[in-house]
Amino acid sequence: MASFLAVNGAIEALRSLLEARVTEELAAVVTNPTVVQIGPTELRAGPTAQSIGLYLHRVSVDRDGRNRYLAPPAPGQPRQPELPVNLHLLLVAWTETTINEAPLLAWAMQQIGASFELDPTNLGPGDPRWGEEDGLRVTPEDLTTETLLRIWDAIPGDYRLSAPYVLKTVRLEPSVPATVGPPVTTIVLPTGTQP
């Protein structure tokens, strides 16, 4: 269970983990490789280094988890509805040098592989409300070429070599906890009409 801070915190956790995995092997091919979070401002300005960019292009409600509830905050209180969201992002070869695009993107895809887990130790700095049971799975997202090109048409800047991924599932806690009122002790029902 997490707060609204978890959305940015999850992307930052992935960025930090990928950056920690940059090896001499990649650095031998690409000069000073980094991993950065990018947004519309960076997309308009263009890259300034040899980087893998993480661009969050969509947040969606996880339809498979919409009817899940969190444990009650205290005995006698109702279970709390959670809002499960998925984060759709693009891994972008964020470089001006064409020769570095493929190695950067292939390296990042290799690090994530077919599935990659972010556990509470990775997620903790982004939101102090992450629990021990929380975790995110980073998996490739199946998008058609047409859909990918439509995404790039809608965002500032020119197309860049990229691969779509999804982070499942950020479980957001309710901002106003559900509560239970006092028990009903009297019921008043109308018995008829007055003359």
Side-chain angles (χ1 to χ4, degrees):
M1 154 170 81
S3 73
F4 67 95
L5 297 172
V7 172
N8 196 51
I11 298 167
E12 179 57 27
L14 178 61
R15 189 206 65 75
S16 296
L17 200 58
L18 286 174
E19 189 153 89
R21 290 184 170 192
V22 171
T23 61
E24 292 177 13
E25 184 179 22
L26 177 62
V29 177
V30 178
T31 307
N32 298 323
T34 62
V35 183
V36 295
Q37 199 173 347
I38 56 176
T41 303
E42 291 81 9
L43 287 166
R44 277 189 210 94
T48 58
Q50 312 303 316
S51 307
I52 282 295
L54 302 177
Y55 177 64
L56 177 66
H57 69 89
R58 186 167 77 106
V59 178
S60 65
V61 175
D62 184 350
R63 27 173 219 189
D64 298 327
R66 284 194 307 199
N67 294 320
R68 289 190 302 215
Y69 288 83
L70 303 168
Q77 293 293 319
R79 295 182 306 151
Q80 304 295 308
E82 69 176 56
L83 178 62
V85 295
N86 294 328
L87 309 179
H88 304 265
L89 58 89
L90 295 176
L91 288 181
V92 181
W94 196 237
T95 176
E96 284 294 337
T97 311
T98 306
I99 199 164
N100 289 335
E101 285 183 335
L104 279 167
L105 189 61
W107 173 84
M109 293 174 71
Q110 182 183 33
Q111 297 307 306
I112 294 172
S115 182
F116 185 73
E117 299 267 339
L118 292 171
D119 60 30
T121 57
N122 306 118
L123 298 169
D127 183 358
R129 294 186 188 172
W130 285 108
E132 291 180 14
E133 73 285 350
D134 289 316
L136 298 177
R137 175 167 281 153
V138 185
T139 57
E141 186 170 23
D142 189 22
L143 293 182
T144 64
T145 303
E146 181 181 350
T147 303
L148 185 60
L149 291 176
R150 283 187 180 183
I151 292 169
W152 277 102
D153 282 343
I155 59 180
D158 296 326
Y159 173 82
R160 301 215 175 252
L161 186 62
S162 55
Y165 280 81
V166 63
L167 277 72
K168 291 186 175 183
T169 299
V170 179
R171 299 170 56 214
L172 300 178
E173 64 189 4
S175 61
V176 179
T179 59
V180 173
V184 176
T185 57
T186 305
I187 298 177
V188 178
L189 299 172
T191 59
T193 58
Q194 293 291 329

